Amino acid sequence: MPEGHIVHRLAYQYRQQLGEGKLRVSSPQGRFAESAKRLDDSSLTSTDAHGKQLFLGFGDEGYVRVHLGLYGKVTFGTAPTPEPVGAVRLRLESDRAYADLRGPTACELITAEEKDAFHARLGPDPLRADADIEYAWRRISKSKRAISDLLLDQKIVSGVGNVYRAEVLFRHGIDPHLEGRRLPRAVWDIVWADLVTLMRDGVRLGRIDTVYPEHTPSAMGREPRVDDHGGEVYVYRRGGQDCHVCAATVTTLKVNGRNLFWCPTCQKR
């Protein structure tokens, strides 16, 4: 599932490529046809992202809420717009560009009030200027749940997925099984600041890179990582391999249906 940096990047791309003039709005697949008809010949007036939720604003007509889920993706292109290929849920097109949305978990037209309700249910997003770090800390500091579990709870911290949670915990030597209530406040502040930095880099680069300069392939004389997620990481999807820092074996365990990765030496309790 795409993590929050991808959704914020999409918000920027929609705004840059389709944010001027009237748009032709359609649903070649047909599952969004009625709402697409309402939006046809209107303008994209705003784009917004909160965690893994994307909101495309169309003035008085409301907002298209998109959640990509496991299979959703967006393809951008330039005019002339080709015939749709595959199950295109939503197509936006102007005289110079187009965007096709395929396979999202959610694609619905909602009101401004409904959009506000979604924001209210989501935890602070490290990529948003209005993020309330104190809210997240209050929830974490009172919880007996593992910090690795809390970081994936979108009601506590929004936009962090499996990659960022594994990597930020490694970067600060935190045992993923540590209860939230046992995490020192000073450490939480550092973790939050690092998430802000890493996720901003993710928006800019379109990939997740988490290793420090001294652990890059060129610095260590090792082969670059080959993975469909891209980016250089410490532990994510590296179960059974040597840790880049201490050479211990990276451990993996399925917890609550998600694979957890950590170094038992670098991340002791």
Side-chain angles (χ1 to χ4, degrees):
M1 183 182 296
E3 304 203 22
H5 72 289
I6 292 295
V7 182
H8 280 265
R9 186 177 173 90
L10 285 175
Y12 172 79
Q13 291 175 299
Y14 267 109
R15 184 167 62 252
Q16 287 295 107
Q17 300 196 33
L18 295 161
E20 296 181 3
K22 300 291 186 179
L23 299 177
R24 295 180 291 280
V25 184
S26 61
S27 179
Q29 179 193 55
R31 293 182 60 182
F32 191 70
E34 184 175 341
S35 295
K37 186 175 181 179
R38 282 183 54 186
L39 298 175
D40 192 35
D41 200 37
S42 60
S43 298
L44 182 64
T45 57
S46 67
T47 64
D48 193 12
H50 191 151
K52 300 178 182 182
Q53 303 284 341
L54 172 66
F55 301 95
L56 306 177
F58 290 87
D60 293 339
E61 294 295 337
Y63 297 83
V64 176
R65 179 184 76 89
V66 175
H67 190 294
L68 293 176
L70 289 174
Y71 306 108
K73 65 177 182 178
V74 179
T75 303
F76 293 93
T78 57
T81 306
E83 289 296 314
V85 176
V88 178
R89 183 78 56 87
L90 172 64
R91 167 172 280 187
L92 304 181
E93 54 182 312
S94 68
D95 292 336
R96 61 185 184 88
Y98 73 93
D100 284 346
L101 169 67
R102 295 179 176 85
T105 295
C107 177
E108 61 174 346
L109 184 61
I110 62 175
T111 65
E113 292 74 20
E114 289 172 322
K115 178 178 181 290
D116 289 341
F118 273 101
H119 288 296
R121 291 197 292 269
L122 293 169
D125 180 339
L127 289 170
R128 290 180 63 91
D130 62 359
D132 185 356
I133 183 176
E134 296 299 329
Y135 173 84
W137 171 245
R138 287 194 298 271
R139 296 287 302 273
I140 289 169
S141 63
K142 297 177 182 178
S143 180
K144 294 181 180 180
R145 292 161 61 191
I147 185 60
S148 56
D149 187 33
L150 294 167
L151 285 176
L152 286 189
D153 189 333
Q154 299 299 296
K155 295 179 180 178
I156 297 175
V157 180
S158 195
V160 173
N162 214 12
V163 187
Y164 282 121
R165 72 119 172 218
E167 293 300 300
V168 79
L169 292 176
F170 176 89
R171 281 165 62 92
H172 301 288
I174 301 170
D175 185 336
H177 304 97
L178 182 72
E179 292 181 0
R181 63 179 180 167
R182 299 191 183 281
L183 184 74
R185 173 60 197 259
V187 176
W188 166 244
D189 289 342
I190 293 170
V191 167
W192 177 268
D194 202 25
L195 284 172
V196 171
T197 299
L198 291 174
M199 294 178 74
R200 283 179 178 170
D201 286 345
V203 174
R204 178 172 55 87
L205 299 172
R207 54 184 266 169
I208 300 177
D209 284 297
T210 63
V211 299
Y212 293 110
E214 60 268 30
H215 298 130
T216 60
S218 58
M220 297 185 68
R222 60 180 175 83
E223 290 296 317
R225 178 172 178 254
V226 178
D227 186 273
D228 56 5
H229 282 71
E232 289 295 331
V233 297
Y234 283 108
V235 292
Y236 178 72
R237 282 191 174 182
R238 296 197 66 247
Q241 300 179 44
D242 290 347
C243 173
H244 292 323
V245 177
C246 72
T249 302
V250 174
T251 300
T252 182
L253 179 69
K254 190 174 287 294
V255 179
N256 296 328
R258 304 291 297 276
N259 288 322
L260 180 64
F261 303 90
W262 77 99
C263 173
T265 299
C266 293
Q267 296 172 260
K268 291 182 178 179
R269 287 187 184 273

